[in-house]
Amino acid sequence: MSDNVYRHLISKARDAKRGGREAWGVMSTGEKVAVALVLNRPEWLTEYGYTIPEAIDRSGSAWVAIIPKVARDLADEDAE
């Protein structure tokens, strides 16, 4: 996993977790669908016209590979 890709995605996911749809709205399409997957927000995907399989495809293999780790790390931050 590329450290830069991980840092980028976790940063975007943190922003959306804190700022909700407003923070999510200013992201690129790829960032939006990956962040929605990280945060388990299928309603965001639906509003943007993506199904979960389409979002996975749109995110690309590099981001899909790290989505579980980013989601776990965000959950761990909440537990601290």
Side-chain angles (χ1 to χ4, degrees):
M1 154 185 28
S2 164
D3 202 39
N4 289 337
V5 172
Y6 171 83
R7 283 195 309 263
H8 182 83
L9 185 53
I10 199 164
S11 173
K12 294 295 181 177
R14 276 187 194 119
D15 290 346
K17 189 172 184 178
R18 292 181 190 136
R21 291 264 291 106
E22 293 76 34
W24 183 76
V26 298
M27 296 179 192
S28 73
T29 302
E31 291 168 340
K32 285 178 182 181
V33 295
V35 165
L37 290 169
V38 167
L39 298 179
N40 195 27
R41 301 300 300 256
E43 69 278 13
W44 289 4
L45 295 172
T46 301
E47 290 174 23
Y48 206 63
Y50 278 85
T51 63
I52 291 173
E54 291 168 338
I56 290 168
D57 186 50
R58 176 66 174 88
S59 294
S61 61
W63 283 23
V64 168
I66 64 170
I67 284 172
K69 177 168 178 35
V70 171
R72 278 190 308 272
D73 290 351
L74 287 176
D76 289 347
E77 290 175 3
D78 287 343
E80 293 176 353

